[in-house]
Amino acid sequence: MTTIARPLDERPTRPRRKPRLSGGGRDAWPLVLPALLPVMLFSVYPLVYGVLLGFTDAHAGLGVETHFNGIDNYVELAGNGLFWTSFKIGLIWAFSVTILQFLASLGLALLLNLDLRLRWLARTLALVPWAMPPVIIAIMWQLMLNPNYGPVNRALGALGLPGDVNWLGESSIALPVVIVVGVWAGMPQTTITLLAGLQSVPAELNEAAAIDGASTWRRFWHVTLPALRPIITAITTLDLIWNFNSFALVFVLTAGGPGGTTMLPSLFAYNEAFRYGNFGYAAAMGNVMVVLIGVFLFFYLRGQMRRRLQ
Amino acid sequence: MTTSTSGSKPGRNPFARPLQYLALLAYMCFLAFPLLFLLSTAFKTSRELRSPDAGVLPESLNWQNFTDAIEKADLFTAAGNSLLVAVTTTVIVTAVALPAAYALVRFRTRLRGLATGWILLSQVFPFILIIIPLFLLLKNIGLVNTLLGLVLVYAVWALPFSLWMLQGYVAAIPVELEEAGAVDGASRMRTLGRIVLPLLAPGLVATSLFTFINSWNEFFFALVLIQDPDMQTLPLALARFVGSEGQVQLGQLAAAALLACIPSLGFFMLIQKRLTAGLLSGAVKG
């Protein structure tokens, strides 16, 4: 998932000459069409349909008629305290995971960029969670956090601390615990992306700053970090989106419990749609999620752009 | 920061190097411990698992859990389903994305901007908005609860990303090479087959493996689209296993989870180097 690319058009533009090989844009169609058609049918169309469903009273079941009901769903949603609680949980989850993930990954990437022994092992380990299905990551952490058998409680017990904490079943701590698992699961992408960014920072810049007597910390702050900024913006944006929309990990870990304290909005909407069959209402939730996250991203990216221009 | 900082240079903080190693060690523990624990659980007997003072390591390498997990018919069927879905998806996606990626890069059409825009946009939308209509759509054409329906959905959702990755690899091949081929009188097909394809091979392998792993690991779409136990994929079967006997049979659960990881872990070990170098150059250089 390393879609950290600079926008494609920003690449150093080659001299704008038309490649002699090409027969113009029209030749591209037959090649692109097989990709375009299914994408249109199974991704553009459902998305448009999904957005529209948010304005209907669509319901699961045979022979149920669907009517547009304007903003009824949203009026109802505005008064649905459970949804907003879940939305708040989703924001706490997404921001905490993204920020912690970023800090932890930046630290690891900086270390991996140094000339340390065992670097290869750490690099491999850093990649492993990426290769694991979220379902299995969840299973693994359930074992880790098992109240009776899990090594986390065992270790606490050995240290003389209370060793019988029900990590995933205690409503006051379930969310922070799930956030830690989220960080573990998402570190690889962020680490590798940042590492690639670090390696593209010209060494000369740092050397020059070092010769000028800048301390390690100052070099990091004034040379490395600014050079990394575009990549940081890209990866944190993507992480935030992915985390806000994530589903499988928490679904298997806690299924939203205990007492709804880890009920991410995606789980909430899933239940609404596929447990209670309220398709229209669930789609409306999806719409609200897109709009709010979209607004946030707009301001975040605009702020980053301005900073870059300065 | 490519130059080794502090430690090696005289006059710098002498504690820097040890501290760096300490930090690296802490990271490695955080990342590796859950995995090692999963591994050790998979080898423990149920007696060991129940006893409160058993060590972290298993007493012996006991393969019972693995054989039990494999013998569970539903897990075996599920693995077969997953394999079938992942392979079919990969073949379709690669066959469709390769020409499209080539065309998008070499013929500078407006499509490229559109495609890129769509790739980014499709990331923002929560799955719930997509899955309800997809569910209804597949239901109308009778593909709910079928592996074919799942393949269709996976293929479509893997396509944008594969296109994106492949575009990066195609763009990295200098167009001059193709022009040279054309000047030397090679036909278009020959140029593509003899010059472009070999150069593209590593990228193609990485992209298709990526598609494979994503389909192998996918959970959400499968959860909604597959209800029939005979059709379920491995992540689904495992998730159900957790909910039912898994709480009792921790050893079997761990063994099954490990077995399910083998394809993706194997793949990552194989292309580890290429992943950090190749994948990134593909994506970053766009």
Side-chain angles (χ1 to χ4, degrees):
Chain A
M1 298 290 148
T2 30
T3 38
I4 5 102
R6 295 160 234 169
L8 293 166
D9 331 49
E10 253 185 49
R11 285 179 315 130
T13 37
R14 281 188 224 151
R16 279 187 74 85
R17 86 194 132 84
K18 286 206 170 138
R20 263 163 283 153
L21 279 169
S22 89
R26 200 153 298 174
D27 282 4
W29 280 99
L31 293 175
V32 180
L33 217 55
L36 213 57
L37 270 183
V39 169
M40 285 299 284
L41 186 60
F42 286 97
S43 90
V44 179
Y45 165 76
L47 232 151
V48 174
Y49 188 4
V51 171
L52 289 178
L53 267 179
F55 297 89
T56 68
D57 59 359
H59 205 278
L62 285 174
V64 186
E65 274 189 48
T66 299
H67 308 278
F68 276 100
N69 60 0
I71 58 162
D72 284 7
N73 286 335
Y74 303 90
V75 175
E76 201 185 330
L77 209 51
N80 186 340
L82 285 176
F83 173 71
W84 293 109
T85 309
S86 143
F87 200 85
K88 204 180 81 190
I89 293 169
L91 288 181
I92 295 175
W93 150 269
F95 278 97
S96 311
V97 174
T98 306
I99 291 167
L100 293 174
Q101 219 167 46
F102 167 68
L103 294 176
S105 303
L106 184 62
L108 182 56
L110 285 169
L111 285 173
L112 290 179
N113 199 34
L114 293 174
D115 200 13
L116 298 179
R117 248 167 254 184
L118 287 179
R119 191 168 61 154
W120 63 272
L121 182 62
R123 192 183 283 215
T124 311
L125 281 177
L127 275 174
V128 165
W130 201 355
M132 297 174 71
V135 172
I136 288 174
I137 295 179
I139 291 175
M140 187 179 72
W141 280 92
Q142 275 189 339
L143 293 173
M144 285 284 290
L145 298 167
N146 187 306
N148 308 316
Y149 161 73
V152 176
N153 271 348
R154 289 261 177 108
L156 286 179
L159 292 173
L161 296 163
D164 56 351
V165 187
N166 190 356
W167 296 102
L168 295 168
E170 196 80 59
S171 50
S172 54
I173 50 168
L175 185 58
V177 169
V178 169
I179 286 172
V180 172
V181 180
V183 172
W184 190 92
M187 264 181 67
Q189 279 106 314
T190 319
T191 306
I192 295 303
T193 310
L194 290 173
L195 183 59
L198 282 175
Q199 285 171 348
S200 67
V201 176
E204 297 80 35
L205 276 182
N206 262 309
E207 281 160 18
I211 289 168
D212 289 348
S215 67
T216 313
W217 171 249
R218 284 181 66 88
R219 271 183 289 147
F220 171 70
W221 193 254
H222 292 289
V223 179
T224 311
L225 212 54
L228 272 184
R229 180 151 281 136
I231 288 193
I232 293 177
T233 309
I235 192 66
T236 46
T237 307
L238 283 169
D239 276 344
L240 191 75
I241 297 170
W242 287 331
N243 289 327
F244 192 71
N245 291 336
S246 83
F247 178 88
L249 189 68
V250 180
F251 181 81
V252 178
L253 263 181
T254 63
T261 43
T262 57
M263 187 66 81
L264 303 184
S266 55
L267 272 77
F268 192 88
Y270 167 81
N271 283 341
E272 196 67 41
F274 295 101
R275 267 217 182 140
Y276 311 121
N278 296 324
F279 286 163
Y281 197 40
M285 291 175 188
N287 284 340
V288 171
M289 284 162 67
V290 172
V291 169
L292 293 182
I293 209 78
V295 167
F296 170 79
L297 286 178
F298 174 76
F299 284 111
Y300 177 62
L301 291 176
R302 202 178 61 165
Q304 291 295 321
M305 285 289 189
R306 286 202 177 146
R307 232 172 140 162
R308 220 204 282 189
L309 289 178
Q310 273 168 12
Chain B
M1 299 299 277
T2 29
T3 48
S4 62
T5 38
S6 15
S8 53
K9 285 168 200 153
R12 295 258 175 226
N13 185 352
F15 295 114
R17 222 352 87 112
L19 281 177
Q20 286 164 357
Y21 274 107
L22 207 63
L24 194 67
L25 194 70
Y27 271 113
M28 277 159 69
C29 287
F30 177 59
L31 290 167
F33 189 73
L35 297 167
L36 293 176
F37 184 70
L38 184 68
L39 197 63
S40 113
T41 307
F43 284 108
K44 284 182 176 172
T45 61
S46 47
R47 185 187 51 77
E48 273 181 276
L49 284 170
R50 260 182 277 118
S51 104
D53 41 34
V56 171
L57 291 177
E59 284 163 11
S60 61
L61 280 189
N62 148 46
W63 293 92
Q64 186 69 35
N65 289 324
F66 288 92
T67 45
D68 285 354
I70 291 172
E71 273 168 16
K72 279 206 183 309
D74 51 343
L75 286 184
F76 201 70
T77 322
N81 289 341
S82 275
L83 192 68
L84 187 65
V85 168
V87 169
T88 322
T89 305
T90 308
V91 170
I92 295 178
V93 168
T94 311
V96 170
L98 182 61
Y102 180 80
L104 285 178
V105 174
R106 284 292 187 258
F107 313 106
R108 295 147 182 273
T109 72
R110 223 170 286 157
L111 280 175
R112 186 168 178 189
L114 269 179
T116 315
W118 179 248
I119 292 165
L120 294 177
L121 195 68
S122 65
Q123 300 278 327
V124 183
F125 283 86
F127 279 143
I128 193 74
L129 274 184
I130 296 140
I131 194 67
I132 301 175
L134 264 183
F135 177 75
L136 295 173
L137 183 73
L138 289 177
K139 208 171 170 184
N140 280 340
I141 51 180
L143 287 181
V144 164
N145 253 331
T146 64
L147 296 181
L148 179 63
L150 212 53
V151 167
L152 273 178
V153 173
Y154 286 179
V156 169
W157 284 99
L159 248 181
F161 195 72
S162 299
L163 259 180
W164 173 292
M165 269 177 81
L166 275 176
Q167 274 189 49
Y169 292 116
V170 173
I173 300 175
V175 74
E176 288 75 18
L177 279 181
E178 287 174 57
E179 287 170 348
V183 170
D184 289 349
S187 72
R188 188 80 196 249
M189 283 321 285
R190 217 179 137 79
T191 318
L192 287 181
R194 286 293 174 84
I195 299 174
V196 179
L197 213 54
L199 287 172
L200 213 52
L204 205 57
V205 171
T207 314
S208 50
L209 282 172
F210 215 74
T211 311
F212 177 88
I213 296 300
N214 277 340
S215 325
W216 177 268
N217 291 354
E218 206 282 333
F219 179 69
F220 183 61
F221 287 131
L223 177 72
V224 173
L225 296 176
I226 305 287
Q227 273 105 37
D228 185 347
D230 288 339
M231 293 293 150
Q232 64 188 354
T233 56
L234 200 51
L236 267 189
L238 283 170
R240 297 222 164 108
F241 191 60
V242 181
S244 53
E245 334 164 44
Q247 296 303 335
V248 197
Q249 305 281 7
L250 290 176
Q252 275 183 39
L253 180 66
L258 273 178
L259 290 175
C261 281
I262 288 177
S264 25
L265 283 181
F267 151 60
F268 270 75
M269 294 300 155
L270 271 180
I271 68 152
Q272 209 238 108
K273 274 233 170 69
R274 178 152 289 153
L275 190 83
T276 40
L279 181 84
L280 283 165
S281 69
V284 176
K285 286 171 192 160

